[in-house]
Amino acid sequence: MIGVLTWQRLRDLKWSELQDAADGWGEVSNRADVARDRVSNEMTNRLAKSQKGEAATAALGRLKRLDQNFDHIYTECGLVRTTLNSLAFELSGAQWRLKDALEDAANLRFTVHADGSVSYPAGGENIIDGKELPGGSTSGSPLSTPYGPSLGAASGAPPLASPNPNHTKAQAIADRILRAVNEAQDIDTRFSETLGRLKAAPGLTVDKRTWTDAAADAATVRGAADDYLKKDIPDDKSPAERKAWWTSLTQEQREEYLAVYPNEIGNLDGIPSEVRDTANRDNLQLLIGKLEGQDGEKAQAQLAGLKSIDKQLRAEPEPGVPRMYLLGIGDEGLGRAIVSFGNPDASRNVSAYVPGLGTSLNEAFARNDVQRARDTAKGAMRYDKSSAAIVWLGYDAPQLPAERLIDNAGVMFERDGKVGAVAYNEFMAGISATNQNPDPHVTAIGHSYGSFTVGQAAQRDGGIPGADDIILVGSPGTGADSAEDLGVGKGHVYVGAADNDPVTMLPSEDEASALGAGVAGGASVGASLGLVGGPIGGAVGGVAGGVVGGIAGYVSSEDESQLWFGTDPAHEDFGAKRFQVADGPRPLMDREGLTPAHSDYFNPDKDAESARNIAKIVAGRGNNISTEEPR
């Protein structure tokens, strides 16, 4: 962009002109964003509601392409803007360092020549004849460092320094001038390459290859903009401090962060939900583009999950279900996804459900776990319209194949849940920081192994931030001896345990260890069946092998109150409120699989009583639930 750079050109550079150019690209990006929203929210949705037939279908297809075109323009122009602003930021630093050196030269009455050399006057005294030492001129050394001559400078090439004390000062100034010019030249070269990559092919067609290219562009710009933007993202601050940081930014700064760092902003607890949703919807397209260019089972499974979530985000909400918000998305580990139905910042009632064993970002998660949050929101809104329900996949749950878990199940299970508990509490602290109600009603929900994760979160110092109630369904235990250990008072801990859900009757770890061979065998069966509950179902099958044909059944224990993770939450010794649920289908005998009752708690079609009770608790109507006796 600059060509051959001299110190004069760097001195006279008007980097504000680069910022003006960046503003122009930002304006184009913003207009594309507005147009994208209009196409999606006004034109496409209205047409889909009001028109049917071939013409309407064709028009919807073209509108979808137009939406994608505006989306791509928004993304790429935003990247150009940040690249130019980053260039101006870095060049301004080099220019400041140059001007500082020139000012020092002027104060000392040294002369800086066109080639960057510095002349200095006579000074000092010759120790032989006592005469003043003559002045001279010196040039910057390419071997110098910010701390003086490099080690290589002592190896012969540089001339001997003059004893004139002004020479040392002039040499330092000349070195600073040369370093500033070289730094600016390196900056220019680096950003020229970055901008050169932000080019669309002639005859733009936005397809999966386009988004793969956009994902690579975003990664390139992030690398170039780290000093300009990323260093200020408060990753190590509390959610409340992050909210304050976001509030303090100018609109232009927010737009740049959203354009270049949608992954960081969208997944940063404490950032307002509307902002997170915007960032994550943009990042979703980049992730899809990134994974489209990858092979491998994990990438393809995550890609299927992302596409399913994207399809649901674009669909018109069904009656009685609030708008869908994407509060987190990522491909790290087994994948991350946080989906809310309803705005958790504006809602008086907010629930956050943690899914269990075998869950990862894939099509099954997008189909089943997201639906559970949707059903919870729909049910809660019957009792209080100001309700939002979240499914939180912000950790790596234990996975199949089950044999890997059974070998060291106690350690493996506890490790994942405890790590997940820290992340869950961070998320819940963010919900508390951004909610706009003076005293929101917050419910933590754990299903299956997710109940252990929630239980561990509740037992950390301070408990689950903001939580008023805790719901545990299909639980193998929480690691707690009593509901009192969960920090909300035993009267606010609610438990659903179907009589035909074998996961809620798992043996204690000691018992399972004694039956190790049976557990491993049953786990293999559970894994091969590929049923909901996976490893837990496999473990149940192995333990119960001697009871019901070596596949499924129930295990009698010496202490019937104990499960794998401590006291059974549905047992009277635990002290929680047990709400009424359907018995559910029997394992295998009703021909619905190994653990069918384990999956129905949220489903109003299969277990209306359980779904209704969960909805009442989430809506703050816990006193109106139907109950049943503890075990």
Side-chain angles (χ1 to χ4, degrees), residues 494-519:
Y494 301 87
V495 177
D499 285 346
N500 289 327
D501 180 358
V503 174
T504 69
M505 301 180 186
L506 282 178
S508 68
E509 185 178 346
D510 290 339
E511 290 175 308
S513 296
L515 294 168
V519 173

Side-chain angles (χ1 to χ4, degrees), residues 348-349 379-387 441 443 469 492 494 577 612-627:
R348 285 190 299 271
N349 305 295
M381 287 186 68
R382 293 193 182 101
Y383 303 101
D384 189 339
K385 294 294 185 183
S386 184
S387 297
H441 172 250
T443 305
D469 293 312
H492 291 274
Y494 301 87
K577 287 185 178 180
R612 186 161 45 247
N613 282 325
I614 291 173
K616 287 180 179 179
I617 298 166
V618 168
R621 306 307 199 262
N623 291 333
N624 297 328
I625 62 172
S626 59
T627 61

